[in-house]
Amino acid sequence: QVHLVESGGGLVQAGGPLRLSCVASGRTFTGYTMGWFRQAPGKEREFVAAITWTGDNTHYADSVRGRFTISKDNAKDTGYLQMNSLKPEDTAVYSCAADVPPFGYTNSIASYDYWGQGTQVTVSS
């Protein structure tokens, strides 16, 4: 199985940056898609960004495109979500997830097979 652990969440002022990390362990992550999702209190979990194993394909939700950057370091089995120009509406629990081949749609929650525990991101105004 694939185990995912997020870290890097915390409190940040609006406009500031924050970088989240997702460490994968267990099965090799080669060929898997890694995605980031977030869920605010009382709201549905929503897609944020995704990246293929090689990093040649990235996808972003319209709400974060241009502000967030997804990347990964295969040698460290770690994915990253660099968040810039944060807004209060970005406040949520952020989770990373792995999509095991055959791949589903990168922005679909149902496509992902393994999930991390989540890390809280709070953006103050």
Side-chain angles (χ1 to χ4, degrees), residues 74-117:
N74 291 345
K76 297 180 179 180
D77 292 322
T78 303
Y80 304 95
L81 183 67
Q82 178 65 50
M83 305 183 292
N84 297 324
S85 302
L86 283 164
K87 306 174 181 179
E89 53 261 45
D90 293 319
T91 296
V93 173
Y94 285 71
S95 301
C96 63
D99 180 9
V100 178
F103 303 115
Y105 290 105
T106 57
N107 63 345
S108 176
I109 295 173
S111 297
Y112 292 81
D113 306 282
Y114 303 98
W115 294 81
Q117 83 289 350

Side-chain angles (χ1 to χ4, degrees), residues 7 10 44 51 57 59 64 73 79 88 90 92-93 98 101 103 107 111 117:
S7 64
E44 296 284 340
I51 187 170
N57 290 100
H59 306 271
V64 306
D73 185 339
D90 293 319
V93 173
F103 303 115
N107 63 345
S111 297
Q117 83 289 350

